[in-house]
Amino acid sequence: MNMSCVTDLAETSALYAGFAASFRYPEEAGNWLSGHEFLDAFDPGTNPAATPLSEAAYADIDTSALFEELVRYYEHFGLRRCETAALPDHLSVELEFMHFLCELQLVAAARGENTDPVRKAQQDFIDRHVRHLLDGVLKGLLGKGIDHEDKAVLLVRECLEFVEEHRGMFTD
């Protein structure tokens, strides 16, 4: 086992957890955006011009079909949604799931097990959900004339670049 790969995966996992925290509602938010900045950028209930963080806002499929697909991903890996949790298509939930998959891969690697199934799940989830959602959020923010240097735009861009870099690990 290549230890630099394990270190990279541990860092990748931690970064997913950090980004997930940054996209949670203000009472849970990380420190990238203040509560006001977060609500103004991402909460349509607070600001009608805000850009939603839910994949359903950008999906080409029915919301119930999207939720069913996401729940199947989560349940396949033994996860269940509690009633008070964010909806399964929220960006913070999808990023937290990627963190979880990275942790599963780390455990499998430490045990000398085949990590291909978890790697394939990561790749598929990024391709089918995370990239699409982040791209939609970024286009939504920029389409509303928000400055390219706005903290919300920078956060989304940074996360998208990170996801693309992680996605690139699957072709190496």
Side-chain angles (χ1 to χ4, degrees):
M1 170 172 51
N2 182 344
M3 282 310 273
S4 67
C5 181
V6 171
T7 302
D8 291 345
L9 186 57
E11 291 171 8
T12 298
S13 178
L15 283 168
Y16 273 115
F19 277 119
S22 295
F23 287 107
R24 287 190 190 108
Y25 285 103
E27 63 270 7
E28 305 172 34
N31 59 6
W32 187 288
L33 300 174
S34 71
H36 173 73
E37 290 169 324
F38 182 91
L39 292 172
D40 193 49
F42 302 123
D43 187 2
T46 302
N47 175 8
T51 301
L53 293 175
S54 59
E55 188 178 353
Y58 313 101
D60 298 331
I61 63 172
D62 177 69
T63 301
S64 60
L66 172 65
F67 280 24
E68 183 178 334
E69 181 175 326
L70 288 165
V71 168
R72 283 185 183 170
Y73 269 105
Y74 304 148
E75 288 180 349
H76 179 79
F77 289 95
L79 302 174
R80 301 271 187 267
R81 182 182 174 269
C82 74
E83 290 181 26
T84 59
L87 292 174
D89 71 325
H90 194 276
L91 180 56
S92 66
V93 174
E94 292 188 14
L95 294 171
E96 189 65 37
F97 182 61
M98 288 302 301
H99 162 68
F100 177 77
L101 292 177
C102 289
E103 291 296 311
L104 284 181
Q105 185 181 349
L106 280 168
V107 169
R111 293 179 178 164
E113 299 170 355
N114 182 5
T115 62
D116 287 345
V118 177
R119 287 174 49 85
K120 286 178 183 171
Q122 289 173 40
Q123 180 180 0
D124 188 55
F125 197 75
I126 288 170
D127 290 345
R128 293 182 62 83
H129 297 285
V130 180
R131 286 160 108 185
H132 177 72
L133 176 50
L134 283 166
D135 189 50
V137 172
L138 183 59
K139 285 178 181 173
L141 288 170
L142 295 175
K144 292 176 179 158
I146 294 177
D147 187 302
H148 287 260
E149 297 302 314
D150 182 87
K151 287 167 88 176
V153 171
L154 293 173
L155 173 61
V156 174
R157 238 194 215 127
E158 202 58 39
C159 187
L160 185 57
E161 288 173 11
F162 162 70
V163 168
E164 292 296 343
E165 185 177 320
H166 180 218
R167 176 62 177 80
M169 291 172 57
F170 299 116
T171 57
D172 295 343

